[in-house]
Amino acid sequence: MTSAVEDMAVKATKGRIYPWDFDRKGKLPVWTLLNRMEYLGSSQRLFFKADNDNKDIKQAIASLKQAMAYEMRFVRCQSVQFSPAFSELMEFPGRAIRVEAKVIFVGKTSWVYETKILDRTTERELATRHVQTVNIDKKTRRPKPLPDWVMERYSHLTSRPRPTTVQPFDLSDAEPAFVYPVTVAPSDIDANMHTNQSQYARYCFNCAATGARKGAYSIISGDLLDYDVISVDLLYQKESREGDSLRVESWEDTKEPDTLKFQVKRGEDNILQCKMRFRIPSVPDIEKAKL
């Protein structure tokens, strides 16, 4: 059995953001970053392997793939904060990055882990992501208790105060400012046979981009790519699958005019809630971006 210090050790992986990852304004889309952080931060799964002492990464990943044939893990929620260095350094044609992951809390059926993305040249922190992941029964697709060996190995993390996670917001009395239809494409589906977590950020961003261009919001308008994303919160409420017709409803936050809220629905079912906060650029910033 590993020690508490070893259990909490940071798992680091290296990667690169490539030229083709950027949008037409030379910015890295939120959903691309989420997908990259999910992939590069997948070493967090190795925290929850019975053979966690395996030091050979190839053997560990092979063992992980075998285990995934019998178990599922769903993301319940995630929150990402972007540092000022993200907009400054994460520019076309790309950067060499490092993703660090560590588990910070373990509950009965879920755990919370933190990933940080850093620039490998300057060592400056670019973004921080907190994710709550749920252990899922593959037959019922419902939460199930974590194995006993997990609770024993991570007992020092079960007694910690539960970290703040993304909570639902009430929009029942509000009329959406803009509605955007989406059909889930085959390429949006992941290994769990449902819509990948990063695709919802794309759906919501496209909703906001279309709404801003059509003048649906009072503060955020015009080309949404002129606005840097400061933070994004995602709360996954139900699964959606290939071919599903979704309705993305959006609102301005009355208390925070730089923030848009989204509710993704399938019929009457609530699929996801999202909150995106943007940096409101000055007029000179916008004019500069047009050059």
PDB file of all heavy atoms in Angstrom, residues 33-59:
ATOM      1  N   LEU A  33      -9.665  22.986 -25.209  1.00  0.00           N
ATOM      2  CA  LEU A  33      -8.855  22.898 -23.994  1.00  0.00           C
ATOM      3  C   LEU A  33      -9.411  21.840 -23.051  1.00  0.00           C
ATOM      4  O   LEU A  33      -8.649  21.054 -22.473  1.00  0.00           O
ATOM      5  CB  LEU A  33      -8.798  24.252 -23.288  1.00  0.00           C
ATOM      6  CG  LEU A  33      -7.956  24.263 -22.018  1.00  0.00           C
ATOM      7  CD1 LEU A  33      -6.478  24.160 -22.356  1.00  0.00           C
ATOM      8  CD2 LEU A  33      -8.215  25.502 -21.180  1.00  0.00           C
ATOM      9  N   LEU A  34     -10.737  21.798 -22.877  1.00  0.00           N
ATOM     10  CA  LEU A  34     -11.343  20.803 -21.989  1.00  0.00           C
ATOM     11  C   LEU A  34     -11.037  19.395 -22.470  1.00  0.00           C
ATOM     12  O   LEU A  34     -10.714  18.511 -21.672  1.00  0.00           O
ATOM     13  CB  LEU A  34     -12.857  21.012 -21.909  1.00  0.00           C
ATOM     14  CG  LEU A  34     -13.354  22.283 -21.222  1.00  0.00           C
ATOM     15  CD1 LEU A  34     -14.880  22.331 -21.255  1.00  0.00           C
ATOM     16  CD2 LEU A  34     -12.851  22.374 -19.790  1.00  0.00           C
ATOM     17  N   ASN A  35     -11.124  19.188 -23.773  1.00  0.00           N
ATOM     18  CA  ASN A  35     -10.826  17.881 -24.331  1.00  0.00           C
ATOM     19  C   ASN A  35      -9.369  17.517 -24.121  1.00  0.00           C
ATOM     20  O   ASN A  35      -9.031  16.390 -23.759  1.00  0.00           O
ATOM     21  CB  ASN A  35     -11.170  17.863 -25.824  1.00  0.00           C
ATOM     22  CG  ASN A  35     -11.013  16.496 -26.446  1.00  0.00           C
ATOM     23  OD1 ASN A  35      -9.931  16.148 -26.910  1.00  0.00           O
ATOM     24  ND2 ASN A  35     -12.078  15.721 -26.459  1.00  0.00           N
ATOM     25  N   ARG A  36      -8.479  18.495 -24.305  1.00  0.00           N
ATOM     26  CA  ARG A  36      -7.052  18.250 -24.127  1.00  0.00           C
ATOM     27  C   ARG A  36      -6.717  17.981 -22.657  1.00  0.00           C
ATOM     28  O   ARG A  36      -5.911  17.106 -22.344  1.00  0.00           O
ATOM     29  CB  ARG A  36      -6.257  19.444 -24.645  1.00  0.00           C
ATOM     30  CG  ARG A  36      -4.743  19.209 -24.746  1.00  0.00           C
ATOM     31  CD  ARG A  36      -4.430  18.049 -25.671  1.00  0.00           C
ATOM     32  NE  ARG A  36      -4.938  18.247 -27.008  1.00  0.00           N
ATOM     33  CZ  ARG A  36      -4.304  18.936 -27.961  1.00  0.00           C
ATOM     34  NH1 ARG A  36      -3.136  19.463 -27.691  1.00  0.00           N
ATOM     35  NH2 ARG A  36      -4.828  19.069 -29.149  1.00  0.00           N
ATOM     36  N   MET A  37      -7.344  18.741 -21.749  1.00  0.00           N
ATOM     37  CA  MET A  37      -7.097  18.534 -20.324  1.00  0.00           C
ATOM     38  C   MET A  37      -7.637  17.177 -19.879  1.00  0.00           C
ATOM     39  O   MET A  37      -7.057  16.522 -19.022  1.00  0.00           O
ATOM     40  CB  MET A  37      -7.722  19.660 -19.496  1.00  0.00           C
ATOM     41  CG  MET A  37      -7.049  21.009 -19.678  1.00  0.00           C
ATOM     42  SD  MET A  37      -7.764  22.308 -18.640  1.00  0.00           S
ATOM     43  CE  MET A  37      -6.948  21.991 -17.078  1.00  0.00           C
ATOM     44  N   GLU A  38      -8.743  16.757 -20.477  1.00  0.00           N
ATOM     45  CA  GLU A  38      -9.302  15.443 -20.148  1.00  0.00           C
ATOM     46  C   GLU A  38      -8.338  14.348 -20.586  1.00  0.00           C
ATOM     47  O   GLU A  38      -8.080  13.394 -19.859  1.00  0.00           O
ATOM     48  CB  GLU A  38     -10.650  15.261 -20.835  1.00  0.00           C
ATOM     49  CG  GLU A  38     -11.273  13.886 -20.600  1.00  0.00           C
ATOM     50  CD  GLU A  38     -12.566  13.691 -21.371  1.00  0.00           C
ATOM     51  OE1 GLU A  38     -12.724  14.307 -22.442  1.00  0.00           O
ATOM     52  OE2 GLU A  38     -13.407  12.912 -20.910  1.00  0.00           O
ATOM     53  N   TYR A  39      -7.796  14.492 -21.787  1.00  0.00           N
ATOM     54  CA  TYR A  39      -6.901  13.467 -22.328  1.00  0.00           C
ATOM     55  C   TYR A  39      -5.559  13.456 -21.595  1.00  0.00           C
ATOM     56  O   TYR A  39      -5.107  12.415 -21.118  1.00  0.00           O
ATOM     57  CB  TYR A  39      -6.677  13.708 -23.817  1.00  0.00           C
ATOM     58  CG  TYR A  39      -5.644  12.782 -24.431  1.00  0.00           C
ATOM     59  CD1 TYR A  39      -5.941  11.437 -24.661  1.00  0.00           C
ATOM     60  CD2 TYR A  39      -4.374  13.245 -24.754  1.00  0.00           C
ATOM     61  CE1 TYR A  39      -4.998  10.578 -25.215  1.00  0.00           C
ATOM     62  CE2 TYR A  39      -3.423  12.396 -25.309  1.00  0.00           C
ATOM     63  CZ  TYR A  39      -3.738  11.071 -25.534  1.00  0.00           C
ATOM     64  OH  TYR A  39      -2.803  10.235 -26.061  1.00  0.00           O
ATOM     65  N   LEU A  40      -4.935  14.632 -21.478  1.00  0.00           N
ATOM     66  CA  LEU A  40      -3.630  14.698 -20.832  1.00  0.00           C
ATOM     67  C   LEU A  40      -3.722  14.476 -19.331  1.00  0.00           C
ATOM     68  O   LEU A  40      -2.782  14.020 -18.698  1.00  0.00           O
ATOM     69  CB  LEU A  40      -2.962  16.043 -21.118  1.00  0.00           C
ATOM     70  CG  LEU A  40      -2.530  16.289 -22.566  1.00  0.00           C
ATOM     71  CD1 LEU A  40      -1.975  17.697 -22.730  1.00  0.00           C
ATOM     72  CD2 LEU A  40      -1.493  15.261 -22.998  1.00  0.00           C
ATOM     73  N   GLY A  41      -4.886  14.817 -18.755  1.00  0.00           N
ATOM     74  CA  GLY A  41      -5.072  14.609 -17.328  1.00  0.00           C
ATOM     75  C   GLY A  41      -5.620  13.243 -16.991  1.00  0.00           C
ATOM     76  O   GLY A  41      -5.977  12.976 -15.841  1.00  0.00           O
ATOM     77  N   SER A  42      -5.696  12.360 -17.999  1.00  0.00           N
ATOM     78  CA  SER A  42      -6.265  11.032 -17.756  1.00  0.00           C
ATOM     79  C   SER A  42      -5.418  10.215 -16.796  1.00  0.00           C
ATOM     80  O   SER A  42      -5.857   9.172 -16.314  1.00  0.00           O
ATOM     81  CB  SER A  42      -6.432  10.269 -19.082  1.00  0.00           C
ATOM     82  OG  SER A  42      -5.172  10.056 -19.687  1.00  0.00           O
ATOM     83  N   SER A  43      -4.199  10.709 -16.506  1.00  0.00           N
ATOM     84  CA  SER A  43      -3.378  10.006 -15.523  1.00  0.00           C
ATOM     85  C   SER A  43      -4.071   9.977 -14.165  1.00  0.00           C
ATOM     86  O   SER A  43      -3.756   9.148 -13.321  1.00  0.00           O
ATOM     87  CB  SER A  43      -2.012  10.674 -15.398  1.00  0.00           C
ATOM     88  OG  SER A  43      -2.145  12.012 -14.973  1.00  0.00           O
ATOM     89  N   GLN A  44      -5.061  10.888 -13.939  1.00  0.00           N
ATOM     90  CA  GLN A  44      -5.789  10.864 -12.672  1.00  0.00           C
ATOM     91  C   GLN A  44      -6.490   9.534 -12.471  1.00  0.00           C
ATOM     92  O   GLN A  44      -6.709   9.105 -11.348  1.00  0.00           O
ATOM     93  CB  GLN A  44      -6.789  12.033 -12.611  1.00  0.00           C
ATOM     94  CG  GLN A  44      -7.876  12.027 -13.663  1.00  0.00           C
ATOM     95  CD  GLN A  44      -9.105  11.218 -13.293  1.00  0.00           C
ATOM     96  OE1 GLN A  44      -9.311  10.890 -12.126  1.00  0.00           O
ATOM     97  NE2 GLN A  44      -9.909  10.882 -14.265  1.00  0.00           N
ATOM     98  N   ARG A  45      -6.854   8.854 -13.581  1.00  0.00           N
ATOM     99  CA  ARG A  45      -7.498   7.550 -13.458  1.00  0.00           C
ATOM    100  C   ARG A  45      -6.574   6.536 -12.780  1.00  0.00           C
ATOM    101  O   ARG A  45      -7.025   5.602 -12.135  1.00  0.00           O
ATOM    102  CB  ARG A  45      -7.906   7.023 -14.836  1.00  0.00           C
ATOM    103  CG  ARG A  45      -9.042   7.800 -15.510  1.00  0.00           C
ATOM    104  CD  ARG A  45      -9.299   7.249 -16.899  1.00  0.00           C
ATOM    105  NE  ARG A  45     -10.405   7.921 -17.561  1.00  0.00           N
ATOM    106  CZ  ARG A  45     -11.662   7.508 -17.530  1.00  0.00           C
ATOM    107  NH1 ARG A  45     -11.967   6.418 -16.841  1.00  0.00           N
ATOM    108  NH2 ARG A  45     -12.611   8.156 -18.155  1.00  0.00           N
ATOM    109  N   LEU A  46      -5.281   6.756 -12.943  1.00  0.00           N
ATOM    110  CA  LEU A  46      -4.334   5.811 -12.369  1.00  0.00           C
ATOM    111  C   LEU A  46      -4.321   5.881 -10.848  1.00  0.00           C
ATOM    112  O   LEU A  46      -3.834   4.969 -10.186  1.00  0.00           O
ATOM    113  CB  LEU A  46      -2.930   6.077 -12.927  1.00  0.00           C
ATOM    114  CG  LEU A  46      -2.805   5.985 -14.454  1.00  0.00           C
ATOM    115  CD1 LEU A  46      -1.373   6.255 -14.880  1.00  0.00           C
ATOM    116  CD2 LEU A  46      -3.256   4.619 -14.959  1.00  0.00           C
ATOM    117  N   PHE A  47      -4.854   6.985 -10.285  1.00  0.00           N
ATOM    118  CA  PHE A  47      -4.977   7.055  -8.832  1.00  0.00           C
ATOM    119  C   PHE A  47      -5.917   5.961  -8.331  1.00  0.00           C
ATOM    120  O   PHE A  47      -5.802   5.507  -7.202  1.00  0.00           O
ATOM    121  CB  PHE A  47      -5.541   8.420  -8.406  1.00  0.00           C
ATOM    122  CG  PHE A  47      -4.557   9.561  -8.460  1.00  0.00           C
ATOM    123  CD1 PHE A  47      -4.522  10.423  -9.539  1.00  0.00           C
ATOM    124  CD2 PHE A  47      -3.679   9.782  -7.421  1.00  0.00           C
ATOM    125  CE1 PHE A  47      -3.643  11.486  -9.582  1.00  0.00           C
ATOM    126  CE2 PHE A  47      -2.792  10.836  -7.449  1.00  0.00           C
ATOM    127  CZ  PHE A  47      -2.772  11.703  -8.535  1.00  0.00           C
ATOM    128  N   PHE A  48      -6.868   5.573  -9.168  1.00  0.00           N
ATOM    129  CA  PHE A  48      -7.900   4.644  -8.737  1.00  0.00           C
ATOM    130  C   PHE A  48      -7.727   3.277  -9.375  1.00  0.00           C
ATOM    131  O   PHE A  48      -8.678   2.641  -9.805  1.00  0.00           O
ATOM    132  CB  PHE A  48      -9.281   5.233  -9.042  1.00  0.00           C
ATOM    133  CG  PHE A  48      -9.614   6.356  -8.113  1.00  0.00           C
ATOM    134  CD1 PHE A  48      -9.242   7.647  -8.423  1.00  0.00           C
ATOM    135  CD2 PHE A  48     -10.238   6.112  -6.901  1.00  0.00           C
ATOM    136  CE1 PHE A  48      -9.516   8.686  -7.553  1.00  0.00           C
ATOM    137  CE2 PHE A  48     -10.500   7.152  -6.018  1.00  0.00           C
ATOM    138  CZ  PHE A  48     -10.142   8.439  -6.346  1.00  0.00           C
ATOM    139  N   LYS A  49      -6.481   2.851  -9.446  1.00  0.00           N
ATOM    140  CA  LYS A  49      -6.164   1.518  -9.897  1.00  0.00           C
ATOM    141  C   LYS A  49      -5.627   0.711  -8.722  1.00  0.00           C
ATOM    142  O   LYS A  49      -4.793   1.174  -7.951  1.00  0.00           O
ATOM    143  CB  LYS A  49      -5.114   1.555 -11.008  1.00  0.00           C
ATOM    144  CG  LYS A  49      -5.646   2.063 -12.325  1.00  0.00           C
ATOM    145  CD  LYS A  49      -6.697   1.115 -12.886  1.00  0.00           C
ATOM    146  CE  LYS A  49      -6.083  -0.238 -13.147  1.00  0.00           C
ATOM    147  NZ  LYS A  49      -7.083  -1.311 -13.197  1.00  0.00           N
ATOM    148  N   ALA A  50      -6.099  -0.525  -8.597  1.00  0.00           N
ATOM    149  CA  ALA A  50      -5.640  -1.375  -7.503  1.00  0.00           C
ATOM    150  C   ALA A  50      -4.145  -1.606  -7.578  1.00  0.00           C
ATOM    151  O   ALA A  50      -3.479  -1.774  -6.567  1.00  0.00           O
ATOM    152  CB  ALA A  50      -6.387  -2.709  -7.520  1.00  0.00           C
ATOM    153  N   ASP A  51      -3.600  -1.608  -8.815  1.00  0.00           N
ATOM    154  CA  ASP A  51      -2.167  -1.790  -8.983  1.00  0.00           C
ATOM    155  C   ASP A  51      -1.480  -0.432  -9.140  1.00  0.00           C
ATOM    156  O   ASP A  51      -0.671  -0.231 -10.019  1.00  0.00           O
ATOM    157  CB  ASP A  51      -1.861  -2.690 -10.179  1.00  0.00           C
ATOM    158  CG  ASP A  51      -2.484  -2.170 -11.475  1.00  0.00           C
ATOM    159  OD1 ASP A  51      -3.289  -1.222 -11.411  1.00  0.00           O
ATOM    160  OD2 ASP A  51      -2.144  -2.722 -12.541  1.00  0.00           O
ATOM    161  N   ASN A  52      -1.827   0.488  -8.268  1.00  0.00           N
ATOM    162  CA  ASN A  52      -1.322   1.859  -8.352  1.00  0.00           C
ATOM    163  C   ASN A  52       0.191   1.928  -8.197  1.00  0.00           C
ATOM    164  O   ASN A  52       0.804   2.936  -8.538  1.00  0.00           O
ATOM    165  CB  ASN A  52      -1.989   2.712  -7.270  1.00  0.00           C
ATOM    166  CG  ASN A  52      -1.884   4.196  -7.567  1.00  0.00           C
ATOM    167  OD1 ASN A  52      -1.890   4.604  -8.728  1.00  0.00           O
ATOM    168  ND2 ASN A  52      -1.778   4.993  -6.524  1.00  0.00           N
ATOM    169  N   ASP A  53       0.795   0.862  -7.679  1.00  0.00           N
ATOM    170  CA  ASP A  53       2.238   0.882  -7.481  1.00  0.00           C
ATOM    171  C   ASP A  53       2.998   0.615  -8.784  1.00  0.00           C
ATOM    172  O   ASP A  53       4.219   0.666  -8.804  1.00  0.00           O
ATOM    173  CB  ASP A  53       2.638  -0.183  -6.448  1.00  0.00           C
ATOM    174  CG  ASP A  53       2.102   0.165  -5.071  1.00  0.00           C
ATOM    175  OD1 ASP A  53       1.997   1.363  -4.775  1.00  0.00           O
ATOM    176  OD2 ASP A  53       1.786  -0.760  -4.313  1.00  0.00           O
ATOM    177  N   ASN A  54       2.267   0.313  -9.843  1.00  0.00           N
ATOM    178  CA  ASN A  54       2.918   0.035 -11.119  1.00  0.00           C
ATOM    179  C   ASN A  54       3.621   1.293 -11.625  1.00  0.00           C
ATOM    180  O   ASN A  54       2.990   2.307 -11.878  1.00  0.00           O
ATOM    181  CB  ASN A  54       1.860  -0.411 -12.142  1.00  0.00           C
ATOM    182  CG  ASN A  54       2.502  -0.990 -13.388  1.00  0.00           C
ATOM    183  OD1 ASN A  54       3.670  -0.765 -13.664  1.00  0.00           O
ATOM    184  ND2 ASN A  54       1.701  -1.753 -14.136  1.00  0.00           N
ATOM    185  N   LYS A  55       4.922   1.249 -11.785  1.00  0.00           N
ATOM    186  CA  LYS A  55       5.679   2.422 -12.203  1.00  0.00           C
ATOM    187  C   LYS A  55       5.842   2.512 -13.717  1.00  0.00           C
ATOM    188  O   LYS A  55       6.291   3.519 -14.234  1.00  0.00           O
ATOM    189  CB  LYS A  55       7.072   2.410 -11.548  1.00  0.00           C
ATOM    190  CG  LYS A  55       7.039   2.341 -10.026  1.00  0.00           C
ATOM    191  CD  LYS A  55       6.265   3.496  -9.415  1.00  0.00           C
ATOM    192  CE  LYS A  55       6.284   3.420  -7.886  1.00  0.00           C
ATOM    193  NZ  LYS A  55       5.517   4.500  -7.266  1.00  0.00           N
ATOM    194  N   ASP A  56       5.507   1.445 -14.437  1.00  0.00           N
ATOM    195  CA  ASP A  56       5.626   1.436 -15.887  1.00  0.00           C
ATOM    196  C   ASP A  56       4.346   2.024 -16.474  1.00  0.00           C
ATOM    197  O   ASP A  56       3.273   1.434 -16.372  1.00  0.00           O
ATOM    198  CB  ASP A  56       5.833   0.011 -16.386  1.00  0.00           C
ATOM    199  CG  ASP A  56       6.149  -0.044 -17.877  1.00  0.00           C
ATOM    200  OD1 ASP A  56       5.429   0.630 -18.653  1.00  0.00           O
ATOM    201  OD2 ASP A  56       7.100  -0.751 -18.244  1.00  0.00           O
ATOM    202  N   ILE A  57       4.442   3.208 -17.092  1.00  0.00           N
ATOM    203  CA  ILE A  57       3.243   3.906 -17.558  1.00  0.00           C
ATOM    204  C   ILE A  57       2.516   3.121 -18.640  1.00  0.00           C
ATOM    205  O   ILE A  57       1.293   3.095 -18.684  1.00  0.00           O
ATOM    206  CB  ILE A  57       3.613   5.320 -18.064  1.00  0.00           C
ATOM    207  CG1 ILE A  57       2.344   6.128 -18.386  1.00  0.00           C
ATOM    208  CG2 ILE A  57       4.526   5.263 -19.276  1.00  0.00           C
ATOM    209  CD1 ILE A  57       1.498   6.418 -17.195  1.00  0.00           C
ATOM    210  N   LYS A  58       3.265   2.399 -19.520  1.00  0.00           N
ATOM    211  CA  LYS A  58       2.623   1.620 -20.580  1.00  0.00           C
ATOM    212  C   LYS A  58       1.817   0.469 -19.993  1.00  0.00           C
ATOM    213  O   LYS A  58       0.697   0.197 -20.415  1.00  0.00           O
ATOM    214  CB  LYS A  58       3.670   1.097 -21.556  1.00  0.00           C
ATOM    215  CG  LYS A  58       4.323   2.188 -22.414  1.00  0.00           C
ATOM    216  CD  LYS A  58       5.277   1.591 -23.423  1.00  0.00           C
ATOM    217  CE  LYS A  58       5.887   2.672 -24.305  1.00  0.00           C
ATOM    218  NZ  LYS A  58       6.830   2.111 -25.304  1.00  0.00           N
ATOM    219  N   GLN A  59       2.389  -0.196 -18.995  1.00  0.00           N
ATOM    220  CA  GLN A  59       1.674  -1.291 -18.347  1.00  0.00           C
ATOM    221  C   GLN A  59       0.463  -0.752 -17.593  1.00  0.00           C
ATOM    222  O   GLN A  59      -0.604  -1.375 -17.579  1.00  0.00           O
ATOM    223  CB  GLN A  59       2.604  -2.033 -17.383  1.00  0.00           C
ATOM    224  CG  GLN A  59       3.713  -2.821 -18.078  1.00  0.00           C
ATOM    225  CD  GLN A  59       4.575  -3.568 -17.074  1.00  0.00           C
ATOM    226  OE1 GLN A  59       4.194  -3.738 -15.926  1.00  0.00           O
ATOM    227  NE2 GLN A  59       5.735  -4.025 -17.525  1.00  0.00           N
TER     228      GLN A  59
END
